[in-house]
Amino acid sequence: MKKLSFYILSHLLILTFSTSIFAQDFQGVAFYQTKTTMDMDGWGGGRQLSEQQKKQIADRMKSFLEKTYVLTFSKTESIYKEEERLGAPGSGGGWGSMMGNSFSAGPQYKNVKDKQFLQDQEFFGKQFLIKEELKTLEWKMGSETKQIGKYTCYKATATKTVDEFDWRSMRRRDRGKDKKKDSTDKASEDKEAGIMDEIEVPKTIEVVAWYTPEIPINQGPADFWGLPGLILEVNADRTTILCSKIVMNPDEKEEIEAPDKGEEVTKKEYAEIITKKMEEMRSMYRGRGRGGSRRN
């Protein structure tokens, strides 16, 4: 009981002190390094990949799996977007590039006062504006702490529903259930299958977040928010988001503007648009397959 009372009291003291040093018009900028790991064993097309092959694939996918994002925030608003950088030689094409451009989230705007979420998204050359009510996770607060940079952070956990096309949680579909099928039928199925048929996404994932009440705003990277302090680290499934630098009240402040361009859709409507496009691509893939294989 004494330990809990001390935790609550210290939390309140930090919040009171921190709130007193933040002006009403303050702004901050936080830089986040993100990294997503992939299970290379499941992507060998039915054959075992060597360690060298896994490394080659990982090197080619590095710019897709490791990114830097910038969160510009005030007391009520924030904008989270990928830091612009020059593309590395040889990184401009291929399946990874298509996935990155089509499935990675565009700039995300959150207004915690008006409960507004907006995402500027491009998909196959068309601009969309995803608009939703800002929803928070049901965070379970913990008393465990750790230091991130100069900030003391507290732990919180939650269960998050995963978007159907969140590439960070995509994995090779487990075909173990199909082992008893007739090999002829299985070969026929493989001919008909497209790349998206081989991918699945879990319904939910466990999230661990670390936030600091020393920066008393309920903002965070990506679509994470709703804690009594800025979220500095997130571990969600196979993705880690870690804050590497914070600048409070920069000399040149950036105006946080809500995006307003593109066809306005909900997340559900956007998912339906992606699904339709994937079906079209699968039909094209199947059509080419029926055309027969080329012989030398």
Side-chain angles (χ1 to χ4, degrees):
M1 186 68 182
K2 288 182 178 179
K3 184 178 180 182
L4 181 61
S5 299
F6 174 77
Y7 165 70
I8 294 173
L9 179 61
S10 61
H11 220 65
L12 288 173
L13 286 173
I14 291 173
L15 285 171
T16 302
F17 174 75
S18 299
T19 303
S20 66
I21 63 173
F22 285 90
Q24 188 64 33
D25 61 344
F26 94 97
Q27 185 179 104
V29 182
F31 296 82
Y32 291 87
Q33 304 292 330
T34 71
K35 183 174 183 178
T36 300
T37 59
M38 292 186 69
D39 180 11
M40 298 298 177
D41 291 331
W43 300 92
R47 59 187 176 86
Q48 187 70 31
L49 294 175
S50 68
E51 291 304 314
Q52 183 180 0
Q53 288 172 321
K54 292 178 185 178
K55 186 179 183 304
Q56 288 174 344
I57 294 174
D59 289 342
R60 287 199 297 266
M61 298 287 284
K62 187 173 182 178
S63 62
F64 172 58
L65 298 173
E66 299 179 20
K67 296 176 179 289
T68 301
Y69 287 85
V70 181
L71 177 73
T72 305
F73 58 87
S74 65
K75 278 186 175 293
T76 59
E77 297 177 286
S78 71
I79 189 81
Y80 181 74
K81 55 187 176 182
E82 185 177 353
E83 185 177 48
E84 294 183 4
R85 62 180 179 179
L86 294 175
S91 64
W95 184 78
S97 178
M98 185 275 284
M99 290 286 288
N101 294 332
S102 302
F103 290 94
S104 293
Q108 296 175 323
Y109 169 87
K110 298 192 293 286
N111 187 314
V112 298
K113 181 181 178 181
D114 299 334
K115 297 294 187 291
Q116 186 180 37
F117 174 87
L118 296 168
Q119 180 177 316
D120 186 349
Q121 186 69 52
E122 182 180 340
F123 181 64
F124 278 85
K126 185 172 182 180
Q127 201 72 24
F128 293 92
L129 181 63
I130 300 173
K131 185 176 183 180
E132 289 276 321
E133 179 183 351
L134 189 58
K135 299 179 179 67
T136 188
L137 299 175
E138 294 184 9
W139 294 107
K140 295 179 181 179
M141 315 295 283
S143 58
E144 186 178 344
T145 66
K146 76 173 181 178
Q147 203 75 10
I148 298 179
K150 65 178 182 179
Y151 298 98
T152 299
C153 297
Y154 291 80
K155 184 179 181 180
T157 59
T159 300
K160 183 178 187 290
T161 301
V162 183
D163 290 338
E164 182 182 357
F165 292 100
D166 189 340
W167 65 267
R168 295 168 299 183
S169 291
M170 287 181 179
R171 58 204 69 195
R172 186 83 178 207
R173 190 179 300 278
D174 183 6
R175 295 296 189 184
K177 301 174 185 177
D178 301 330
K179 287 183 178 179
K180 294 182 180 180
K181 284 187 177 182
D182 181 83
S183 59
T184 304
D185 293 339
K186 186 68 173 63
S188 177
E189 283 183 10
D190 288 342
K191 272 188 176 181
E192 292 295 312
I195 189 169
M196 295 307 293
D197 293 292
E198 296 299 312
I199 292 173
E200 64 180 356
V201 178
K203 298 292 184 183
T204 60
I205 57 174
E206 296 305 308
V207 176
V208 176
W210 295 89
Y211 67 96
T212 177
E214 295 171 35
I215 303 179
I217 62 165
N218 55 355
Q219 293 280 0
D223 53 354
F224 298 102
W225 74 288
L227 288 167
L230 180 64
I231 299 172
L232 298 190
E233 182 178 340
V234 174
N235 295 286
D237 196 22
R238 297 172 304 174
T239 295
T240 297
I241 307 173
L242 179 61
C243 183
S244 58
K245 179 182 176 182
I246 298 176
V247 179
M248 300 301 298
N249 292 313
D251 294 334
E252 294 184 11
K253 293 184 178 179
E254 177 183 341
E255 187 173 355
I256 301 175
E257 295 181 312
D260 58 3
K261 296 179 181 178
E263 180 183 338
E264 189 174 305
V265 293
T266 63
K267 281 188 177 181
K268 182 180 179 181
E269 290 170 338
Y270 184 66
E272 291 171 352
I273 291 169
I274 294 178
T275 301
K276 183 178 179 181
K277 185 65 177 179
M278 292 299 102
E279 288 294 332
E280 291 176 0
M281 293 177 66
R282 182 167 59 178
S283 296
M284 290 174 60
Y285 179 86
R286 286 174 173 172
R288 290 173 184 173
R290 290 194 188 102
S293 59
R294 293 180 61 184
R295 296 185 179 182
N296 295 328

